[in-house]
Amino acid sequence: MKFYKDLFNPKIREVEQGSYITIGTFDGVHRGHQQLISTVAREGKKNNCTTIAITFDPLPKVFLGKKESDYIRLTSPQTRAERIALLGVDLLIEYTFDQSFSKMSADDFITTILVGLNPKKIFIGKDFRFGYKGSGDYEFLKREGMKFGFETEVLEFIDLNNERISSTRVRNAIKSGDITLATELMGKQHEMSGRIVQGINDFTVFFVPNCDVMLPPAGEYMVTIENDNSKHFTKAVILNTNKSIEITLDKLMIHHFSKGNVILHFVEPVTAIKTEVKVETYKELHSILG
């Protein structure tokens, strides 16, 4: 998969034969997103067209002032890109969602972004909106498609246990500590990338995420930690007032995983930690980090 950033009025060789496109924030790349992106990849290749996923960073709802605690990202931009790549699209185009972009009209979105990609068909989710104040929707795309020569198809939501799969539902599952449900909704374990920064003792280290990604509530969790060469199953402890995560490792594993970036996967919760116990512990950890 090839990656482009902020590609306006695009003139790229890859779309000479036409493209199949999907658009969304794809936060968490949950099973609903997977169906949408996989459909584009499959149908586009069947029709000899380049397949494209278009996404945004930061999350539009965060930039537009929605309650930040409700919209902490589920995946870093890098993890999102890696998950999208596994679904088979040819190109990922990420746009910076800033003040200027937020003011872009639906018409300008069509003419400055989509038309240059030579779209033959666009696939969207049922609730997809774009353009200033969400003025663009399926009906708008359908009308514009008649003008510019592309079709638009809406894919239905996917349900789990008679409830729609959505990023909000994944976020609520993680927030409540239901790691099993979050895994079922995403089809993958909740994960974050980061670094091992310092040891508390011979068997406990700190993991600090590279990006502000949603953490489960305070408690003890079974996790896997991995890098390019190996994977290890162990315990992690999250404390209420500190975004650092304690991980239990033996000396050999500490040395092995301290050399670069690692990925932490949450497998299942073990125990909940009482707030009052955690605050005292955090003071001790803070003095160590300081």
Side-chain angles (χ1 to χ4, degrees):
M1 183 184 77
K2 191 171 183 178
F3 177 81
Y4 285 103
K5 181 73 175 176
D6 295 331
L7 191 63
F8 296 98
N9 299 306
K11 296 179 181 179
I12 54 175
R13 186 178 305 171
E14 292 95 333
V15 297
E16 289 178 353
Q17 301 300 315
S19 66
Y20 274 43
I21 301 172
T22 186
I23 314 165
T25 55
F26 303 128
D27 188 27
V29 196
H30 57 63
R31 286 169 53 192
H33 297 146
Q34 291 167 29
Q35 175 186 253
L36 185 58
I37 298 167
S38 296
T39 298
V40 170
R42 181 180 64 253
E43 296 300 314
K45 286 175 173 55
K46 188 187 300 182
N47 290 280
N48 298 312
C49 288
T50 297
T51 54
I52 303 173
I54 293 175
T55 193
F56 314 99
D57 187 65
L59 299 180
K61 288 182 178 179
V62 172
F63 181 83
L64 293 172
K66 304 293 183 181
K67 188 177 177 183
E68 187 170 357
S69 61
D70 291 336
Y71 291 103
I72 297 174
R73 66 171 72 248
L74 296 170
T75 46
S76 68
Q78 179 180 344
T79 299
R80 177 176 62 181
E82 290 170 351
R83 291 185 176 186
I84 290 173
L86 291 173
L87 298 171
V89 292
D90 299 309
L91 307 180
L92 174 62
I93 307 175
E94 182 185 273
Y95 289 91
T96 302
F97 199 94
D98 55 15
Q99 190 67 28
S100 175
F101 196 92
S102 72
K103 300 292 186 183
M104 180 183 293
S105 68
D107 289 289
D108 285 345
F109 190 95
I110 297 286
T111 57
T112 64
I113 293 177
L114 294 182
V115 170
L117 295 173
N118 192 17
K120 301 304 178 187
K121 193 167 186 177
I122 297 173
F123 293 78
I124 57 173
K126 199 172 181 180
D127 60 348
F128 177 70
R129 298 289 186 275
F130 67 100
Y132 184 54
K133 293 186 176 180
S135 57
D137 58 9
Y138 166 70
E139 293 298 333
F140 182 86
L141 282 170
K142 188 177 177 181
R143 290 195 301 271
E144 293 299 296
M146 295 176 66
K147 184 191 306 182
F148 292 106
F150 63 81
E151 300 176 56
T152 302
E153 182 173 334
V154 176
L155 267 65
E156 295 293 324
F157 297 134
I158 292 181
D159 290 349
L160 177 66
N161 299 328
N162 298 315
E163 185 179 348
R164 174 192 166 192
I165 294 176
S166 67
S167 296
T168 297
R169 191 177 174 196
V170 176
R171 197 172 283 108
N172 289 339
I174 294 171
K175 189 184 297 185
S176 66
D178 194 342
I179 302 302
T180 300
L181 176 59
T183 299
E184 290 177 350
L185 294 169
M186 290 191 288
K188 291 179 177 291
Q189 292 168 341
H190 183 46
E191 69 178 81
M192 56 192 68
S193 62
R195 298 180 68 86
I196 301 299
V197 295
Q198 189 173 357
I200 302 172
N201 53 46
D202 288 344
F203 300 99
T204 307
V205 294
F206 286 114
F207 170 89
V208 178
N210 291 334
C211 183
D212 191 12
V213 175
M214 173 160 276
L215 290 177
E220 185 177 60
Y221 296 85
M222 299 310 299
V223 299
T224 58
I225 183 170
E226 65 177 292
N227 58 18
D228 292 337
N229 301 312
S230 60
K231 187 173 184 177
H232 185 68
F233 187 70
T234 185
K235 292 189 299 183
V237 176
I238 299 174
L239 303 176
N240 280 335
T241 55
N242 187 7
K243 291 184 179 179
S244 297
I245 302 171
E246 295 180 15
I247 298 178
T248 302
L249 293 171
D250 60 36
K251 286 185 178 181
L252 179 61
M253 289 294 101
I254 290 174
H255 175 73
H256 182 70
F257 287 114
S258 296
K259 295 180 180 180
N261 201 62
V262 297
I263 308 295
L264 190 69
H265 298 265
F266 287 88
V267 179
E268 62 182 0
V270 179
T271 59
I273 294 179
K274 294 181 180 179
T275 302
E276 57 267 29
V277 173
K278 179 213 177 285
V279 171
E280 181 179 355
T281 308
Y282 171 67
K283 291 178 181 177
E284 298 171 3
L285 298 182
H286 184 74
S287 65
I288 294 172
L289 287 173

